[in-house]
Amino acid sequence: MNCSCNGYKPSMKFSKDVEFAYAEALKIRAHSHSPYSRFAVGAALKLRDNPRAVGGCNVENASFGATICAERVALHAAVAQEGSINPEFIVVVTGEEDATVPCALCLQTLAEFCADDFKIYLGNTQTLLKSYSLRDLLPYPFRHFSQDKK
Ligand code: THU
């Protein structure tokens, strides 16, 4: 596959869709507003009926609690743009050497829209590293009593 974004060389270990979403997450990570933590995160959410992934980055605030994570920015942007969504997977990229797992708030937010087997791909600025299913990371999400079982 020819993916020249940021000089990243695809490993062939992951699908073409995942590699493209990785490139999008890497690109949008550069938009991160993280002057307080200096921890920039990029995310790209792939929807089943849409060839391109919806990107998001973390946006911090001087009032720290107003900060929003990259995963939730991507997810909420997808809902705002598409109305109802059918998420396929998400790619999350940080500047860390090891894979960084999404925080519990983001996992709970993903659980609102995504099935248990929804895949979460984790990478750094060099490469994609590993993947988990949503159920691996959040086996017991909170569900409102009126929500259908997924
Ligand atoms: N952050 C994310 O964007 N995603 C996560 O899953 C965890 C943390 C952001 C929030 C904050 O801007 C910075 O990383 C440090 O916590």
Side-chain angles (χ1 to χ4, degrees):
M1 195 194 86
N2 181 19
C3 174
S4 59
C5 183
N6 295 301
Y8 171 64
K9 295 195 183 54
S11 62
M12 307 307 289
K13 226 172 105 187
F14 298 94
S15 75
K16 195 163 136 280
D17 279 351
V18 172
E19 298 282 6
F20 273 112
Y22 171 74
E24 178 62 25
L26 204 52
K27 194 173 75 180
I28 205 157
R29 179 176 174 270
H31 298 176
S32 165
H33 175 73
S34 42
Y36 306 105
S37 72
R38 304 254 169 232
F39 191 88
V41 186
L45 180 72
K46 172 74 174 63
L47 305 175
R48 281 188 200 285
D49 35 15
N50 196 326
R52 68 169 269 274
V54 181
C57 62
N58 56 328
V59 182
E60 298 185 348
N61 193 280
S63 175
F64 293 169
T67 291
I68 182 162
C69 296
E71 297 90 325
R72 280 177 290 144
V73 170
L75 194 64
H76 293 170
V79 172
Q81 287 167 28
E82 305 291 329
S84 82
I85 57 169
N86 190 0
E88 193 177 336
F89 62 81
I90 194 167
V91 177
V92 183
V93 173
T94 72
E96 300 296 286
E97 193 179 335
D98 296 327
T100 311
V101 166
C103 77
L105 258 185
C106 286
L107 294 172
Q108 176 63 35
T109 307
L110 288 166
E112 179 76 17
F113 297 96
C114 307
D116 280 355
D117 60 354
F118 174 81
K119 277 273 189 299
I120 299 170
Y121 293 90
L122 305 174
N124 61 21
T125 53
Q126 305 305 309
T127 190
L128 280 159
L129 293 163
K130 57 165 78 167
S131 71
Y132 293 99
S133 291
L134 180 56
R135 81 161 74 81
D136 297 333
L137 301 180
L138 189 67
Y140 301 105
F142 173 76
R143 298 216 192 278
H144 192 267
F145 62 84
S146 68
Q147 254 180 317
D148 289 338
K149 281 248 180 295
K150 283 187 179 152

